[in-house]
Each structure stands twice: as C-alpha cells, then as structure tokens.
Amino acid sequence: MIVTVTPNTALDVTYTVDSLVPDAVHRARDVRRRAGGKGVNVARVLHALDVDVHAIATAGGATGVAVATELGAAGLSAELVPIGGETRRTTTVLSASDGSVTLINEPGPVVTAAEWELLAEHVHRREPEVLVCSGSLPPGAPSEGYARLLAGRTSVLDTSGAALLAGLAGRPAVVKPNAEELREATGHDDLERAARELMRAGAGAVVVSLGAGGLLAVTPAGTWRATPPGALTGNATGAGDAVVAALALGLSRREPWPEILRRAVALSGAAVLGPLAGDVDLAHYHRQGQRVAVRARPEQES
C-alpha cells in the first residue's frame, strides 16, 4: 500500500469562465468542488490506476465536512484527522478563451501541537510500502514535522521552502521540487548542482519538474532527462501531483529510473488533460507512455 499525507487539506473550487478580464464581473460556465491538497490529489491519481492507496489528511469545520463527504463519494480510502480550524479553500479560475489558469491558495488554519501529534500518530500506525508527504505545512505545524513523519520509511517528499529543507533530515528517498522551488531552496541556477546539494543534505534522489519541458532526475544511479513527445493544452494544476504518484508507484515496484520517469511524464500529461487536479486521461497515459524520451548523460545507460 501507498499512504499519502496532506497536512494542509483543501476544498478545491474550480470556476470556468469565458475569459478572465481584470476589473470585470464574470459569470462562471461551470463550478466544481472537490477534496484537494497535494497528497489527496496524489491518492486520487493512484486510485484511478487501481493502486492500493490510503490518504491521511486533516479536516475541520463545515469545509472539512464537505471534504469528507466528497472523499467518500469518490470512493477513496481515507482517514481524516479532526482539527479545530476551518479547512481552507483553494480557488482555480480556468479561462476558456486562452486556456490560462489562475490559482488563489488560502494559507490554511492554524494546527495546534496536539492536533499535529494526532496526525503523526495516524501516520505512524501505518506501515506502507511508500509514504508520500505533500504540500505546504499549515500554520502552527513544527518546521521539522515532515522529517519526523518520513524518518525510517521509503518516502517521497513534495514541498517547498523551509519545509523542504527541514524535511531532508527525514532522508526521503525522492524529493520533487519544481525548478523555481529548487532554485529558491539552494540559491543555485544550475539545476543539477542544486539537486546534488539536496542529496548531500539527505535526499536519496531529486526529480525536478520542468513544466512542459518534462523532468530532470538526479540519482545515485545516474542523471536523466525525460521529455514528453509534444506540448499539451489544459489544466496543469495537478500535473506535479501526478508525477509524485508515478514516483511512489515506481518506488513501490522497485522499477529502474527510466521506467519510472516515462510513467511520470506520461501521467503528468494525462493530468493536464484532466478537467480537475487529481484527474488523469487514462487513454492518453497508456498511449503516450512509450513515446516519452528518456536520455541519460553519455556515461550512463538509459
């Protein structure tokens, strides 16, 4: 089983409008609400692939009730840790005219020390093949919170800033920053150099999201670049979570890096074509998997 952890759960609200224009009144073509947060999205992708996955997340207030109801309706295996604060909402506005995506992320409610310890207890009771910790730490969470959850487990960490740097003490098997997050964390523009700095600090491997450019993987076994066969237009908000789902699945199956990266890029593209974060176009995923190019440095074999 793969277990995902989402300390800063959200109710994702997505509006589709004809065109997003500043200082104007908009009428939504469509409004959709579903449980979200990065770890929940990862679990949703794995569930779509018929992988045994369990989501652990926080929930509070009326919004937390809505999150619980939607997770149940979606058929996701989940346990929600109660908190006193109101679960946050994230708002996505999709512009139909140009395909642009605008996100507004609330910071989330303050989590007390007792609530964080309860979350940690729920996580430590599980013995997954792979543990995934994703997203921002909510206000009030200890800076070393992820490190304590990850310690001694095969794990994937997907976060940024101080939470990423502190989480390296838990020695995650893989961390997955995007290029901007990696530069911010290390101060280096050279992404391979920056990735190796994270590895020296505790990461087993670093997989960097390059947006439409695919992925860069820096690992003890070698360095690879994985690129999609072509550009896609759609909603990219869940693409990184699909990459994390592929990394966790590959680790659980002990697959070689080129195979993991091909799946990750194909799933990422399938997520761009999905209407909401956590959705994947399975037909695209199965069609594109072997068309992803994975290239190693000259001295490595792919």
Side-chain angles (χ1 to χ4, degrees):
M1 173 183 284
I2 296 171
V3 171
T4 72
V5 183
T6 311
N8 207 3
T9 317
L11 182 69
D12 291 341
V13 183
T14 303
Y15 297 98
T16 302
V17 299
D18 291 330
S19 180
L20 185 61
V21 181
D23 299 319
V25 176
H26 299 79
R27 293 187 182 277
R29 285 186 184 182
D30 182 59
V31 182
R32 302 190 187 187
R33 298 175 177 85
R34 74 186 325 179
K38 295 179 74 63
V40 171
N41 294 338
V42 172
R44 206 180 288 272
V45 172
L46 290 169
H47 180 70
L49 297 176
D50 292 324
V51 175
D52 187 14
V53 62
H54 181 74
I56 300 176
T58 56
T63 308
V65 172
V67 164
T69 300
E70 197 281 327
L71 286 174
L76 284 173
S77 173
E79 56 188 298
L80 297 178
V81 178
I83 59 174
E86 184 82 17
T87 294
R88 68 188 177 121
R89 290 173 177 251
T90 65
T91 301
T92 301
V93 183
L94 303 178
S95 174
S97 64
D98 59 7
S100 65
V101 181
T102 301
L103 286 82
I104 302 172
N105 292 331
E106 297 178 5
V110 173
V111 172
T112 67
E115 289 166 345
W116 182 266
E117 288 304 318
L118 182 59
L119 173 68
E121 288 176 16
H122 280 256
V123 174
H124 290 316
R125 282 201 295 264
R126 296 280 171 174
E127 295 183 358
E129 295 170 282
V130 179
L131 178 68
V132 175
C133 288
S134 292
S136 59
L137 288 173
S143 60
E144 73 282 3
Y146 275 145
R148 290 168 52 198
L149 298 181
L150 297 170
R153 299 165 181 262
T154 301
S155 59
V156 181
L157 176 63
D158 180 19
T159 188
S160 60
L164 169 60
L165 294 175
L168 297 175
R171 306 193 71 80
V174 185
V175 297
K176 192 219 68 66
N178 61 35
E180 181 181 350
E181 291 165 346
L182 183 57
R183 292 187 184 104
E184 177 191 354
T186 64
H188 299 311
D189 288 328
D190 183 320
L191 296 181
E192 184 173 338
R193 178 185 175 191
R196 294 194 183 284
E197 182 169 311
L198 294 191
M199 291 172 67
R200 286 192 293 271
V206 180
V207 175
V208 188
S209 293
L210 304 175
L215 300 172
L216 170 69
V218 182
T219 82
T223 298
W224 286 270
R225 177 74 184 272
T227 55
L232 296 170
T233 300
N235 180 4
T237 55
D241 301 326
V243 170
V244 172
L247 296 175
L249 181 56
L251 286 177
S252 72
R253 294 177 176 177
R254 303 178 186 273
E255 294 173 339
W257 274 106
E259 187 171 344
I260 294 174
L261 296 172
R262 286 190 183 95
R263 177 186 292 112
V265 171
L267 260 187
S268 177
V272 171
L273 298 179
L276 301 173
D279 290 336
V280 285
D281 183 328
L282 291 178
H284 173 88
Y285 163 63
H286 291 299
R287 186 170 60 248
Q288 297 296 315
Q290 293 307 311
R291 297 184 61 198
V292 174
V294 181
R295 296 183 176 88
R297 295 187 304 178
E299 67 271 20
Q300 300 291 339
E301 296 182 359
S302 62

